[in-house]
Amino acid sequence: SQTIHQWPATLVQPVGSPLSLECTVEGTSNPNLYWYRQAAGRGLQLLFYSVGIGQISSEVPQNLSASRPQDRQFILSSKKLLLSDSGFYLCAWSPWSGANVLTFGAGSRLTVL
Amino acid sequence: QQQVKQSPQSLIVQKGGISIINCAYENTAFDYFPWYQQFPGKGPALLIAIRPDVSEKKEGRFTISFNKSAKQFSLHIMDSQPGDSATYFCAASKIRGSSNTGKLIFGQGTTLQVKP
């Protein structure tokens, strides 16, 4: 069966520090991968999605970036965090065949102080 | 045109009552409409989904009603239970076509509290 791992679960970082959140998927090949952000009291905002290694599409211009160095690995990064980057970050995957059924990870809670 | 609007933002229902959450979309190309359930501190999980070729889909106590002409769909939770207390998200996507990337456009979410 397929599983998705996301870490770290909780992160407290000072403004201006770098960020790296990692997500890996097991039990499937060539998945579509996504990073969503959920701010307090708001919905799920799609940040990045990837349909293959090295293929990253950005939905929202900001100081975050994403990379997909391996088929089942998706990384969210920032060189310098802003206060507004605080939130709950969710990685998700869907089958490459376009079934559009997203399976989410447990999320990473980021607090920028 | 890519937005999905969800209401209400929060909902309180007595145990045994009916919970109703509504969503509206603008993009007529959308052809897949799922609902996700999220418990505190967890990632959302798929609850139920519908395609526009049917007007209703029922799974246990959960029913999606779909009105294609009005571009609206809703989630009905019958006999609501305290264990249903969670945040619910509607979403929309376009499946058909070679440009499908699998991404979902989510509504703003509804926090449901079912009182015992």
Side-chain angles (χ1 to χ4, degrees):
Chain A
S1 63
Q2 302 89 358
T3 56
I4 179 169
H5 303 280
Q6 192 178 337
W7 70 93
T10 305
L11 198 59
V12 180
Q13 292 286 95
V15 170
S17 64
L19 171 72
S20 180
L21 301 179
E22 190 163 342
C23 172
T24 59
V25 181
E26 297 178 355
T28 187
S29 297
N30 196 26
N32 293 334
L33 296 172
Y34 312 86
W35 278 111
Y36 282 85
R37 178 170 60 198
Q38 183 175 14
R42 300 184 64 181
L44 296 165
Q45 182 185 36
L46 179 61
L47 302 176
F48 301 95
Y49 68 93
S50 171
V51 298
I53 295 175
Q55 301 178 57
I56 308 295
S57 295
S58 175
E59 292 291 298
V60 181
Q62 57 206 317
N63 70 321
L64 298 173
S65 63
S67 61
R68 185 170 177 173
Q70 301 181 40
D71 180 45
R72 291 169 290 176
Q73 183 185 26
F74 206 23
I75 298 171
L76 183 69
S77 303
S78 174
K79 292 182 179 178
K80 289 185 178 181
L81 284 169
L82 306 172
L83 287 173
S84 57
D85 291 325
S86 294
F88 193 47
Y89 288 83
L90 290 154
C91 180
W93 76 274
S94 70
W96 68 272
S97 59
N100 290 29
V101 177
L102 263 63
T103 300
F104 285 88
S108 296
R109 174 77 58 191
L110 171 65
T111 303
V112 183
L113 301 175
Chain B
Q1 195 178 20
Q2 287 284 46
Q3 281 188 331
V4 176
K5 296 182 179 180
Q6 183 173 345
S7 63
Q9 187 174 6
S10 62
L11 182 61
I12 300 175
V13 174
Q14 289 295 128
K15 178 182 176 181
I18 302 174
S19 303
I20 301 175
I21 305 170
N22 301 298
C23 283
Y25 64 98
E26 298 179 354
N27 189 345
T28 55
F30 288 149
D31 57 8
Y32 174 69
F33 303 91
W35 285 89
Y36 280 75
Q37 180 187 55
Q38 182 184 31
F39 293 105
K42 304 294 184 182
L46 178 64
L47 183 63
I48 186 173
I50 196 169
R51 299 292 298 273
D53 51 344
V54 296
S55 61
E56 185 175 283
K57 183 174 182 179
K58 183 176 181 179
E59 290 184 2
R61 296 184 293 109
F62 300 90
T63 300
I64 299 179
S65 297
F66 184 80
N67 186 328
K68 188 175 182 178
S69 61
K71 292 185 286 186
Q72 295 176 348
F73 58 109
S74 59
L75 175 69
H76 296 235
I77 306 175
M78 312 299 289
D79 186 26
S80 298
Q81 300 295 314
D84 297 329
S85 297
T87 299
Y88 293 82
F89 293 95
C90 64
S93 181
K94 178 179 178 298
I95 289 182
R96 294 193 181 95
S98 59
S99 61
N100 177 33
T101 57
K103 62 181 182 179
L104 295 176
I105 307 300
F106 284 88
Q108 295 86 346
T110 297
T111 301
L112 170 65
Q113 181 183 359
V114 181
K115 290 192 170 183

